[in-house]
């Protein structure tokens, strides 16, 4: 199907901006993260594109159409355009079904670009291995450098599968190997991911660049401190030690959460990889009978991913563990509402079995909430153990129950970690990530010129 692209972005002074094509086959950056195949990669692609546009670049993001109601072309904001390409049926396909639609998707991308003058794009940046397969073809056709971000890798995931989870297929591993071999530059979220690329995929270290994702610090921020309010409110708050508690109570009331309970928050897709079942089992540990005699309230913000019954299975597990009254499952929410949930929680838990970065952990810390995370992958970079949160060395429910209870019983410890979380979050910003990515693009162009 032909996609008729609108005229070029306005360019009143006649200058030639950097033109970037991004490809995100299996999930649109406009989709709500937290359900289906939508997650941190959606946020990554959109926020990076926005930051690049603020630097004068023009970004066009190609993604697969999942509804007939979607406009073929959407200007997300000045400098960022999303192009929905029809490839296969709109509904009923998850990312495991998409390899069979890559030919159709690639044809749609090439047709769209064919109506532009030759040499339109300067660089092609693909996300996840499915997009890399399309980008490999398009970059050769357009004679532009190919930059690829893996986001997750099959060999890394297969090395740390959750119990009962299915391994990634050999076809994906072969596809990833092909993209690694063809890319002019590979972008890793952390030094650990860069090492994984070199070890597991024999990537040339000279072509691997570490660019840490960012956090929208304007959206994700702590509850206002008493010293940051206007003078009248500040003076009243400083005279009233209970003011912060009332502020938290009002926030929880707005979110329909109990004011008098400890709250642990899980935000993400409900699937074995992300480990919400670890938290439910942790609530069933006998250690909670000590103290006030009940576990905290576990709030799960997320939808089913992989299996349509994933949420019902998690709720059934809570019933089996005898903690159904202590687990509250809600659908995913927009970014600004998510920030309020982070502010309202005592702790944010990220028990993933594999994580290339851990954007939820970074956003929670930016909101001033300590994070308890599994000591895997990029989480070891995002969460500073003992400074902004605590890293748990395994996925045993007993280990998680012990760490969570120790933190929830110690208000001073949590307060120190909260302060460290706020400081730690300043390491991550999308503007900084965009500046570094522009350098990667330039290196990729130089490498492409020599091939």
């Amino acid at each position: 199907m032909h996609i008729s692209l609108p005229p070029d972005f306005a360019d009143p002074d006649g200058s030639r901006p950097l033109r970037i094509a991004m490809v995100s086959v299996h999930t649109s950056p406009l989709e709500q993260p937290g359900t289906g195949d939508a997650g941190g990669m959606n946020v990554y692609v959109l926020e990076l594109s926005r930051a690049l546009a603020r630097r004068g670049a023009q970004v066009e993001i190609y993604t697969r159409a999942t509804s007939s109601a979607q406009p073929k072309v959407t200007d997300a904001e000045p400098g960022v355009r999303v192009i929905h390409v029809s490839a296969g049926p709109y509904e009923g396909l998850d990312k495991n079904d998409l390899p069979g639609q890559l030919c159709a998707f690639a044809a749609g991308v090439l047709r769209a670009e064919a109506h532009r003058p030759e040499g339109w794009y300067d660089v092609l940046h693909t996300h996840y291995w499915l997009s890399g397969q399309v980008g490999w073809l398009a970059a050769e056709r357009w004679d532009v450098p190919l930059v690829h971000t893996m986001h997750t890798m099959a060999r890394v995931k297969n090395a740390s599968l959750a119990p009962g989870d299915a391994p990634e297929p050999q076809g994906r591993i072969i596809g990833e190997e092909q993209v690694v071999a063809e890319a002019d530059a590979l972008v890793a979220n952390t030094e650990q991911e860069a090492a994984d690329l070199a070890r597991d995929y024999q990537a040339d270290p000279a072509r691997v660049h570490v660019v840490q994702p960012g956090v929208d610090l304007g959206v994700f921020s702590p509850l206002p401190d008493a010293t940051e309010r206007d003078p009248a409110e500040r003076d009243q708050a400083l005279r009233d030690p209970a003011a912060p508690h009332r502020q938290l109570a009002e926030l929880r009331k707005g979110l329909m959460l109990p004011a008098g309970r400890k709250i642990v928050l899980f935000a993400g897709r409900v699937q074995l990889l992300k480990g919400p079942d670890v938290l439910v089992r942790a609530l069933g540990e006998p250690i909670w009978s000590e103290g006030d005699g009940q576990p905290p309230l576990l709030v799960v913000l997320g939808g089913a991913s992989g299996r349509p019954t994933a949420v019902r299975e998690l709720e059934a597990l809570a019933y089996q563990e005898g903690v159904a009254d202590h687990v509250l499952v809600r659908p995913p929410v927009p970014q600004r509402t998510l920030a309020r949930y982070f502010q309202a929680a005592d702790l944010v838990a990220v028990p993933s079995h594999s994580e290339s970065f851990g954007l939820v952990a970074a956003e929670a810390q930016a909101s001033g909430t300590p994070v308890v995370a599994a000591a895997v992958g990029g989480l070891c970079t995002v969460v500073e153990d003992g400074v902004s949160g605590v890293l748990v060395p395994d996925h045993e429910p007993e280990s998680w129950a012990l760490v969570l209870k120790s933190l929830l019983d110690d208000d001073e410890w949590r307060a120190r970690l909260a302060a460290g979380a706020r400081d730690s979050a300043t390491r991550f910003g999308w503007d900084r990530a965009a500046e570094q990515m522009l350098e990667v693009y330039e290196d990729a162009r130089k490498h492409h010129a020599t091939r």
Side-chain angles (χ1 to χ4, degrees), residues 150 155 170 172-182 200-202:
M150 298 290 275
R155 284 198 171 107
Q170 184 65 22
R172 174 181 172 179
I173 295 174
I174 294 172
E176 290 176 338
E177 291 175 335
Q178 292 169 334
V179 175
V180 168
E182 292 298 324
D200 295 336
Y201 292 87
Q202 292 74 55

Side-chain angles (χ1 to χ4, degrees), residues 155-156 159 192-203:
R155 284 198 171 107
V156 174
Q192 178 61 57
E193 187 181 356
D196 292 339
L197 278 166
R199 183 193 66 236
D200 295 336
Y201 292 87
Q202 292 74 55

Side-chain angles (χ1 to χ4, degrees), residues 47 50 54 214-224 335-340 343 362-363 366-367 425-426 428-431:
E47 293 300 329
R50 293 176 62 198
R54 289 195 292 269
V215 174
D216 188 338
L217 300 176
V219 172
F220 296 98
S221 60
L223 283 170
Q335 294 286 87
R336 293 190 180 278
T337 306
L338 177 59
R340 295 173 62 213
Q343 293 170 342
E363 292 170 344
S367 304
T426 60
F428 308 114
W430 285 114
D431 288 327

Side-chain angles (χ1 to χ4, degrees), residues 235-246:
D235 291 344
Q236 181 179 359
L238 289 175
R239 288 194 300 269
D240 182 1
H245 298 287
R246 283 202 300 274

